[in-house]
Amino acid sequence: MRVQVSGSNRAGGSRTAGFGGRARRSEYWWFVLFTLILGIVAGILDGALGTDIGSEPSSTGVIGLIVSLALLVPTLAVAVRRLHDTDRSGWWLLIGLVPLVGSIVLLVFFVKDGTRGSSRYGADPKEAPHAAAPSMA
């Protein structure tokens, strides 16, 4: 199994807020990892700078709030493109509003392999020609 770190990041970065097309699993999960790391860094900075909004330990800070707002549209866009890769409409994201079950259903959709070949949402991203990029084996 090969993981193309640079190719996945490049694909996610070039279509940050685009809702059209399809996103491979690697593109989605690298984006999730990136947002998780960014959120942790924002939380550390909020704690170090004392910019917490609430008094509870789980409260978010000003920096965390800014990061969350900045990543809202790109997060929705990559999730919709990931659903498109499994030949589902982006409206399936709304199932996440159902407590527990909705999150499990979305997780299953995000982990599943994409539809082979072209679909109504575009060409298979696995069949798209990639530029020569270093890969981790």
Side-chain angles (χ1 to χ4, degrees), residues 3-121:
V3 177
Q4 292 185 350
V5 177
S6 61
S8 300
N9 290 340
R10 187 173 51 248
S14 65
R15 299 185 305 166
T16 303
F19 286 82
R22 297 165 63 172
R24 295 178 66 175
R25 280 184 294 188
S26 61
E27 178 183 346
Y28 176 77
W29 290 111
W30 280 112
F31 184 81
V32 168
L33 179 64
F34 169 74
T35 57
L36 178 68
I37 292 170
L38 205 57
I40 290 170
V41 169
I44 291 170
L45 286 174
D46 278 329
L49 299 174
T51 56
D52 292 331
I53 294 174
S55 59
E56 298 179 21
S58 63
S59 64
T60 190
V62 174
I63 297 171
L65 182 64
I66 292 169
V67 167
S68 296
L69 289 174
L71 290 175
L72 178 64
V73 172
T75 301
L76 290 173
V78 75
V80 166
R81 290 195 315 268
R82 181 69 203 123
L83 287 170
H84 285 176
D85 193 39
T86 60
D87 207 20
R88 288 178 178 80
S89 168
W91 289 106
W92 273 99
L93 275 180
L94 294 177
I95 201 168
L97 297 174
V98 177
L100 188 63
V101 175
S103 298
I104 293 171
V105 169
L106 282 177
L107 180 64
V108 169
F109 289 166
F110 292 149
V111 174
K112 281 183 66 172
D113 196 16
T115 306
R116 298 239 183 244
S118 293
S119 71
R120 57 186 164 161
Y121 299 106

